[in-house]
Amino acid sequence: MSAATEPLHVVLGAGPAGTTLAGELVRRGHAVRLVSRSAPENTVEGIQPFAADVSTADGALAAVAGASVIYHCVNVPYHRQVEVMPRIQCAVLAAAEVTGARLVVLDTLYPYGQTRGEVMTEDTPWRATSRKGRMRAQLDERYLEAHRAGRARVVLGRSADFVGPGVLNSTLGGAVFPAALGGGEILGLGDIDLPHSYTDIRDVAAGLATLGTRPEGDGRVWHLPTAPAVTTREIHAMIEERVGHQLQRVVLTEPRPFGPFDAEFMAEYAEMFYQHTEPQIVDSTAFERAFGIRPTPLDATLDATVEWYRALPAGSRS
């Protein structure tokens, strides 16, 4: 199949998830367009960068023109999510309906709300009480309703907190690895002796790319491949083994500014802090059985993450 006739996969959002996904799709031999408000720079060969504002109807339609599959990986500053994410959904879902392209949505665990340590599966009830959790649940119901009504073909892939190469703005990202390598203070949140799931960003990409080419998964939520949960204290010990010294740790028992997380972010994050005061355990067995993809072992994830941070210029690590 020539490049001119090969089905086009359009990735909306050029953050760590979108960028990693675009690279995964290219490795799988797909034609790929990567979209952000300003055309992404330094993309790998085979990725077409494209600039568009997908919070508008015209911008979303321009971004997905010619697409066979659309991947919605757009995120916005944390304090603007409740305002902006519904607008983006409206534009992107309408574009999928108009073009007939399948829509793969990267989702969060927020709709579940507090679980009191219950293992999260795709059958876990949606009990969110936070503003952002309720907003995400409402968006997800609209996606699934559009699919049930036959207006669009939609599938959702949920991820735990990101970790891995390219991930900076995560509780296991820029607030941990730069200081671990440089001898500074790393961040721990809440009760660091509770199990907490993290999803390797490369598994996020592999999972979404698989959903994009396996339409039998459409019309439902899937948990993307996620390694078994361990405690934050155990993760810190694993990082110590890789950096060769004991970590200096600051544990925040309530939200306050630290490192890359400023006061504005932490004020917005306060309603989600329950994620660090109860176990957060994600079960991705359903996805693994359906599609034959296993999560990357946590050892390998941490190896790759430490090496990626080591290769960063010191000024780019936070």
Side-chain angles (χ1 to χ4, degrees):
M1 185 176 288
S2 71
T5 59
E6 185 174 349
L8 176 64
H9 292 243
V10 175
V11 180
L12 307 179
T19 299
T20 307
L21 171 58
E24 175 70 17
L25 290 167
V26 166
R27 283 190 290 275
R28 296 187 182 202
H30 301 298
V32 179
R33 178 187 300 153
L34 180 60
V35 179
S36 67
R37 287 179 67 92
S38 56
E41 299 178 353
N42 303 318
T43 56
V44 302
E45 185 177 354
I47 296 176
Q48 172 198 354
F50 192 91
D53 179 359
V54 298
S55 70
T56 69
D58 289 344
L61 275 173
V64 307
S68 173
V69 186
I70 304 163
Y71 302 84
H72 177 4
C73 300
V74 180
N75 209 346
V76 298
Y78 208 62
H79 65 283
R80 300 193 64 204
Q81 285 192 359
V82 173
E83 169 198 356
V84 177
M85 292 302 289
R87 292 211 308 263
I88 293 173
Q89 180 197 49
C90 184
V92 171
L93 186 54
E97 293 177 12
V98 168
T99 62
R102 292 180 57 241
L103 177 59
V104 181
V105 180
L106 174 58
D107 197 19
T108 73
L109 304 177
Y110 287 10
Y112 298 131
Q114 297 185 48
T115 64
R116 296 173 176 80
E118 174 187 346
V119 175
M120 286 175 270
T121 72
E122 291 87 341
D123 294 324
T124 299
W126 299 4
R127 297 172 289 206
T129 57
S130 67
R131 290 167 57 247
K132 284 177 278 295
R134 292 197 306 270
M135 176 268 292
R136 290 282 186 174
Q138 290 166 359
L139 297 189
D140 290 356
E141 182 51 41
R142 289 173 195 154
Y143 285 126
L144 296 174
E145 173 56 30
H147 183 91
R148 289 191 295 265
R151 299 196 309 274
R153 295 171 294 165
V154 187
V155 62
L156 283 70
R158 282 189 179 150
S159 169
D161 290 344
F162 294 162
V163 62
V167 175
L168 288 165
N169 294 323
S170 167
T171 56
L172 195 56
V176 173
F177 291 98
L181 288 164
E185 294 179 330
I186 71 163
L187 174 65
L189 290 177
D191 186 344
I192 65 171
D193 291 306
L194 296 174
H196 194 103
S197 291
Y198 292 92
T199 308
D200 189 313
I201 196 70
R202 298 166 300 177
D203 292 337
V204 172
L208 294 176
T210 299
L211 293 176
T213 54
R214 298 285 294 272
E216 68 269 26
D218 287 358
R220 57 164 290 179
V221 172
W222 295 93
H223 286 179
L224 300 173
T226 299
V230 301
T231 70
T232 299
R233 192 182 299 276
E234 289 175 285
I235 290 176
H236 290 173
M238 295 168 74
I239 296 172
E240 286 177 339
E241 294 174 1
R242 287 155 177 78
V243 300
H245 58 82
Q246 188 171 357
L247 301 181
Q248 301 180 58
R249 179 169 48 220
V250 173
V251 177
L252 303 186
T253 57
E254 59 184 21
R256 65 176 174 81
F258 185 97
F261 302 125
D262 62 18
E264 184 174 50
F265 175 88
M266 279 302 198
E268 281 291 329
Y269 193 64
E271 66 173 358
M272 309 306 302
F273 203 74
Y274 68 83
Q275 295 176 111
H276 308 284
T277 58
E278 65 178 22
Q280 287 276 290
I281 306 172
V282 174
D283 184 323
S284 59
T285 302
F287 187 100
E288 296 168 38
R289 288 177 177 168
F291 302 107
I293 297 177
R294 297 280 298 168
T296 303
L298 189 54
D299 278 331
T301 295
L302 293 177
D303 286 342
T305 306
V306 168
E307 289 309 307
W308 184 82
Y309 272 93
R310 277 200 174 109
L312 274 185
S316 301
R317 289 180 180 169
S318 59

